Amino acid sequence: MKPAPFQYFAPVTVDDALALLAEHGYDAKLLAGGQSLVPTMNFRLSQPGVLVDLNKIADLAYIRADSDGTLRIGAMTRQSTVERDPLTARHAPLLAEAMPHIAHRQIRNRGTIGGSLAHADPAAELPAIMVTLNARFVIQGAGRRREVAARDFFQALFMTDLAPDEILTEIIIPPMPPGSGWAMDEIARRHGDYALVGAAALVTMPEGDLCADATLTFLSVGETPVVATLACAYLCGARIDDACIAEAARMAGQEDMDPPGDIHASVAYRRKLAQVLARRVLTRAFQRAKDGVV
Amino acid sequence: MSQRYTIRLTVNGEKIERDVEPRLLLSDFLRHELRLTGTHVGCEHGSCGACTILLDGQAVRSCIMFAVQADGHALTTIEGVAPDWTASSGPEAMHPVQIAFWEKHGLQCGYCTPGFIMTLIPFLEENPHPSDEEIIQAISGNICRCTGYQNIVAAVRRAAELMG
């Protein structure tokens, strides 16, 4: 058999899962969709002594919208479900646009939204999207519940704010302000492969061509999602035209990031891709804001 | 470490009950326990798509799921897509996607083919008239090292005609 032996539990409530985590401590690993964990177990790169399978906790799979447009997604909701639910398209169109970029259909049918976020792969789409959307995560521990902003959740390579005895249970996406525009794009050698670079933008331009707010986030250019802070500051309050977008994109690629180089893409190439993608997503996002889609 | 679980599931319409060790991969369960060797294993870490099966009608990779997780679910493997086919029934009894691969030479060695077919059946049911771009995206999670994919794309177009 490929994976090393482990003890297996499939609790049906969050409380039972938390009790198992409390009992087994660092030996325990949570199993969500398993699309990243099981491959590493097949390689025996990870050999958890105890596997706590969350797939039987029906209460963790849902998509709901509050009356103010806040979207709430249970952590064990399958990525294909998030992709196809009309509530996603209505309340978080940026998320809807990003979903088809995640791996392949077979993976999204099994992979969960919370599993991907808790895994915190710097090349994954969902962490960067949640940072861009200013999402908040509900985290439960034994007898306690807290919320953390997506921006503070991702700490380093595969490292998050989650403690070993905690479970990410819900993703909260706030409504977009009126006059918002959004866009996501990435460059990968083959559809579904890890992106060399990806970019997501959420902008607000309530009147005319004056930008009120902008968030531009990148994936695959650092250990965590990278927010282009200088470019965002440059855009806020600016009159948006092609030259302004080009300058923001240049700042993003050249000044806001320190991307790694590897066999897939050199540092210079990643900066160049980031600049190209920034220009594309900002152009599309501001156009959508202008068109008054939201 | 010999903890075993009893699982009850449906495979190709047949009710199955077995005791399994939790670390048994679903792909190995199908091949070694049930002797359904039409589900192939290539990379065994979720990259190549050869082990794709249907879990409650949805394409998933059986090499990155544990058999114990299939408890209570309904699976379809390549052996279950053409229930009326027998060795003497001729190609017409195959599933339309199988017929299309046969007609359009969508396979050479055939190792990847069950995975492609299991990926494509739900895809074509959901997208009866796919564009070439949609077809290429749909098969992006399946690797074929023989065909160069052109005949597979042609087979998907043909399958859409046959199913339409």
Side-chain angles (χ1 to χ4, degrees):
Chain A
M1 296 208 202
K2 301 210 91 184
F6 54 83
Q7 260 188 295
Y8 175 81
F9 297 96
V12 293
T13 67
V14 173
D15 284 345
D16 289 349
L18 289 170
L20 285 162
L21 288 185
E23 186 186 338
H24 295 283
Y26 279 101
D27 283 344
K29 184 88 187 151
L30 294 172
L31 173 61
Q35 303 300 285
S36 299
L37 176 59
V38 182
T40 65
M41 291 177 68
N42 283 355
F43 282 122
R44 299 206 177 189
L45 290 170
S46 42
Q47 303 192 9
V50 174
L51 213 51
V52 180
D53 185 349
L54 301 177
N55 285 277
K56 297 220 162 157
I57 307 181
D59 285 353
L60 285 181
Y62 57 86
I63 304 180
R64 293 195 275 268
D66 295 350
S67 54
D68 69 348
T70 300
L71 196 64
R72 294 176 184 273
I73 307 177
M76 284 299 290
T77 310
R78 306 277 170 208
Q79 288 158 8
S80 279
T81 308
V82 174
E83 180 180 350
R84 290 168 174 151
D85 196 304
L87 288 175
T88 310
R90 192 178 323 149
H91 297 290
L94 175 64
L95 177 59
E97 186 162 288
M99 293 310 295
H101 289 288
I102 302 172
H104 312 286
R105 170 64 61 204
Q106 298 102 311
I107 299 288
R108 299 197 293 278
N109 280 343
R110 193 74 196 148
T112 64
I113 188 165
S116 173
L117 293 169
H119 184 52
D121 189 322
E125 289 80 3
L126 287 170
I129 295 298
M130 293 306 159
V131 167
T132 311
L133 289 172
N134 208 15
R136 300 181 67 77
F137 301 152
V138 177
I139 291 170
Q140 290 189 44
R144 62 186 199 274
R145 176 191 186 279
R146 65 190 178 98
E147 281 184 22
V148 60
R151 222 173 257 233
D152 301 323
F153 181 77
F154 302 103
Q155 295 182 337
L157 198 68
F158 300 113
M159 205 172 123
T160 69
D161 186 46
L162 278 171
D165 61 347
E166 290 180 321
I167 300 175
L168 167 61
T169 55
E170 186 178 80
I171 292 92
I172 305 174
I173 300 172
M176 296 191 294
S180 289
W182 68 91
M184 191 273 171
D185 201 358
E186 66 177 39
I187 291 172
R189 293 297 294 265
R190 176 181 64 146
H191 180 89
D193 279 355
Y194 284 117
L196 299 174
V197 179
L202 179 64
V203 302
T204 314
M205 198 163 61
E207 291 164 43
D209 54 4
L210 207 59
C211 171
D213 198 10
T215 307
L216 175 64
T217 312
F218 293 88
L219 55 104
S220 267
V221 301
E223 290 199 351
T224 62
V226 171
V227 178
T229 40
L230 291 174
C232 294
Y234 175 78
L235 289 167
C236 285
R239 292 208 175 277
I240 300 304
D241 56 22
D242 289 349
C244 173
I245 288 175
E247 174 57 12
R250 189 201 61 77
M251 290 170 94
Q254 298 304 320
E255 295 170 32
D256 273 321
M257 62 179 63
D258 185 15
D262 52 37
I263 55 163
H264 306 292
S266 65
V267 172
Y269 185 50
R270 276 212 164 80
R271 287 189 189 280
K272 175 71 181 164
L273 290 181
Q275 189 171 337
V276 168
L277 284 169
R279 204 180 60 232
R280 284 186 198 166
V281 296
L282 287 172
T283 303
R284 211 157 75 233
F286 280 115
Q287 189 58 50
R288 279 173 168 154
K290 200 178 274 183
D291 293 346
V293 184
V294 172
Chain B
M1 198 60 81
S2 58
Q3 181 195 22
R4 292 179 84 84
Y5 274 83
T6 303
I7 58 171
R8 291 175 193 87
L9 64 161
T10 307
V11 180
N12 299 330
E14 189 187 335
K15 289 202 183 323
I16 304 259
E17 183 176 322
R18 285 282 198 289
D19 288 339
V20 295
E21 200 180 335
R23 64 173 166 150
L24 180 65
L25 297 173
L26 183 55
S27 48
D28 288 341
F29 173 75
L30 292 169
R31 291 175 56 82
H32 303 157
E33 295 276 332
L34 303 186
R35 299 284 165 186
L36 293 172
T37 52
T39 298
H40 293 168
V41 288
C43 69
E44 291 188 88
H45 62 267
S47 290
C48 79
C51 68
T52 303
I53 60 157
L54 304 188
L55 173 78
D56 300 327
Q58 304 254 25
V60 300
R61 294 178 159 164
S62 61
C63 78
I64 48 174
M65 237 189 103
F66 296 110
V68 65
Q69 297 187 284
D71 182 36
H73 293 277
L75 311 185
T76 308
T77 67
I78 190 69
E79 289 89 348
V81 301
D84 298 331
W85 186 87
T86 64
S88 56
S89 59
E92 304 76 30
M94 294 193 294
H95 189 282
V97 180
Q98 292 175 305
I99 294 174
F101 268 68
W102 171 61
E103 279 185 17
K104 295 292 176 186
H105 302 280
L107 62 144
Q108 287 178 31
C109 87
Y111 199 84
C112 67
T113 313
F116 270 92
I117 289 174
M118 301 317 287
T119 298
L120 286 164
I121 290 173
F123 168 71
L124 287 168
E125 282 168 357
E126 214 176 298
N127 307 275
H129 309 291
S131 65
D132 280 3
E133 199 187 327
E134 288 168 331
I135 292 171
I136 289 166
Q137 273 200 17
I139 62 171
S140 66
N142 293 75
I143 293 175
C144 170
R145 298 286 82 149
C146 301
T147 61
Y149 301 100
Q150 299 302 314
N151 288 355
I152 294 179
V153 173
V156 184
R157 279 192 222 114
R158 177 66 181 139
E161 282 172 22
L162 292 173
M163 289 168 77

